Amino acid sequence: MELPCTDSDQGPADKHEATGPSIPMAQISSGAAMIMLDASGRLILVSPAISTLLAIQPGDIGKSVADIEAFASDAAFARDVGRAIADGAHAVRLFTAPQRTLLARITPSIARSGEPCPVAIEFLDSDSNAAAPACGDEASYKAIVDGAPSMIWTCDPQGNLDYVNRQWVHYTGLPLAPTPGNSVDELIHPDDRPQAQLAWQRAVKTATSYRDELRIRRHDGEYRWFDTRAVPMRREDGRVAKWFGVATEIEDRRRSLQRLVRSEHRFRNVFEIAPIGILEVDWTPILDFLDESAASAEALGNAFRHAPDIAGKLLSSTTVTGVNPKAIQLFGASGANELIAKISQVFATPAADEAMARAVDALAAGEHGFAAEISLNAIDGRGVTVLLRMAFPTSESGNRVLVTMIDISDAVNAQRIEHKLAQIVNNSFDAITSKTPDGIITSWNPAATRLFGFTEDEVLNRPATQTIVPASHIEEEDAILARINKGETLAQVETRRRHKSGRLIDCAITISPLRDSTGQVTGISTIARDVTEQKRVEAESKVAAMKLQRSNVELERFAYVASHDLQEPLRSIAGPLQLLRKKYRGQIDENADTYIELAVQGAGRMRDIIDGLLAYSRVGRNAATIAPVDVDAVARHVVTILQPAIAAIHAVVEWHELPTLAGQKTLLNQLLQNLISNALKFHGDRQPHITITASRIDGTRRWRFAVRDNGIGFDMKFSEEIFTVFRRLHAHSKYAGTGLGLALCRRVVELHGGRIWAESEPGVGTTMWFELEDGFNPEDTGESV
Amino acid sequence: MSFPTPIPKILLVEDSQVDIMIVTEVLQDLAIECDLVTASNVEDALEELLVAEGASDAANLSQRLPTLILVDINLQGSSGLHLVRELKQDATFRSIPVVVLTTSQAPSDVKAAYDLQANCYLRKPIDYAQFRDLIAMIAAFWLQHAELPA
């Protein structure tokens, strides 16, 4: 706005020379110092400025204005105030305070006709040096105007300033510079100029009052906020004669407003995005009820408990004035309106009633708030468990109660799960205990009592090393704790624990760390199982196995030693017999020759048996050399050795593609030699035909061999017996043999991780089946004598 | 020859009467001309050898060192292997061929015998004919073919 300065050159101090029309004081806006009265004339609000100016005490609030010393002295003022309250009459008058004279503007609130209304009174500090002027005295007005803390000016309809007051000069630091074209625009903050110009142009165009808030530059260059107003003063013909303007500094208000806006914004944000449900509830009916009844809180608390209808009425008369998005979500509402409309349904639970009763108790007890865990109904019918907190009304919050709700349904569910787990633990057959990372026992299930004999009370909060860990295992326990604290889990550790009676128990324990949500090890859980019985059984079977092993070893040693030691006496029988036969054959008589011959044969058979026994007992006694064995070559070798026997009976021995596999060559040699010998020995009337075949068993490293003959066969009821030592199916006279051949075969096959069995049909033939594991690593071949 | 070739002296260390009988019979059977001396245990055998060494009377044939020693392992008292050790550690005796002739088939015995420098290890056959063939081979090798120190 262009406000050209006037031509008159006035010093700021020269108030008496100020020119201008009578100033309509009703238009003066100050606001710097004001009080408010309610419709009964009681003081309800005092601005800080006036409370300093008139020495009004905080205790004066609520008193009738007539009873306040500062106001009581001026009867005329009191009368005008009374009229303003009663009739809504505006008034501006000088107010004679005990120490000074002020200009008072009495403004009734917009009153309904005939009813008293509250009144606001603004005071302007008049020049304290001036004598109290009489109303209507122009010089006095001028003095007042010049003394006013606001900047005041007048200008002609074209906007040329023709008067500024002392404050204007004082503030801007500009003398009245009547240079034409010198714009006061530059006094306005550049950011505020466009808006100010628009408002001014509109005011001028419509000849209506102008008002704007803008920043005006002070003499030191700082901009401060002003509430700037201008009103047109009209001539009798209605045209605008002058503009009368007032600029009141509102820097403080503006700043506090900005703070408020910021703070409101922050709180609004918190309200909107908080992860907790928030309801704002107007508790006026409850607070009124409390105000009205003497034994208020108790009565109301009881009402909530015992007279739900009253409580319900009270609660339903409170109104929810705000809900935040989280609250809407919490209760499954579609929006704020639905939640507010159905809020009584949400709180229609016994828990809520009880909580309200306790809340009122708390309120009555002078507490600032209340908290409870309660179940509420979501709008979709779900139960929602919340931790509900109420902040009771304070002087700042009026009658509003803030209700915050944190959804703890998950936590409650977790508790339920925990309860289930607890049952599992309690019913577990295994002893389940927990300890602190230092080894102090913190939980103890009934199975632990059964296992260890100690009751929960006897062990809780005591170190495990003082109860169930035997002294001999304390070091082990320390080592275990150290590992668990590093985060390891130890499964099925075999150790010993002490029963209350002192007896040691063999236990298998599984120990694992317990962690909190951050992963920190905060405890140790131990599951212990009594393995005393299991250990006993294991020990027994180990003993049995050892006995068996020892027995086998002893048998083998016996067979070896026996066969070895039998050699000497056999020699002493066979040797002389042979000398006897050699030297005396045909010299005694025919019978003697027969006897000697029988004895020599018997000694020979005995030699075969001893040799067989030696061979048998030697299988597996010597350290094995596992090497690739060409079974085909073994078969060739065996057939060469047996060639005389084969030729003697015109037998045919044939084989197809025998494999090479890792094994012990000497033993495989013995195996094939025994099987082929048997097939040759037990031939029938047909030409003996022996076939050897082999095939790999799919998907394994095993080979299955078959030695098939067309001999006499045998009854399958002997199919197992034939593999036992000294078991013979035929008389010596018919088929020679020691009864050790197949027993040796079985040993050889088993030593190669395989098995051997027979299929036979008398008169048709026999098939000896055996399987060998290629590269089987026998474990019991290390022993030698 | 100006000097008659001395007939070989064989020391048989054997406690089995039967085996002594058989060896004697076989030698006769094979018509091997030799001086067979027997000792039934290790101590007697050593005594015999020490006496022979001390006499050094070439004229007394019965007190010569043996040309060949046959030793059984399983003897009453010390093992025949002990005798082998003693012989092979002695500068005078170690050049005398020692044949282990035994019933033992234990591989450990076989290995031990050779470890102690026995000249060979043979198993006694039970069958007389086989025994005779074996002795024939021993005699042929050690008494006829093998060149031995004087």
Side-chain angles (χ1 to χ4, degrees), chain B residues 43-56:
Chain B
E43 287 70 31
D44 288 354
L46 283 173
E47 177 72 22
E48 165 71 26
L49 287 165
L50 288 170
V51 168
E53 186 189 19
S56 67

Side-chain angles (χ1 to χ4, degrees), chain A residues 15 232 297 598 638 685 741 753 783:
Chain A
K15 59 188 177 186
L598 284 175
V638 167
D685 299 332
E783 205 178 330

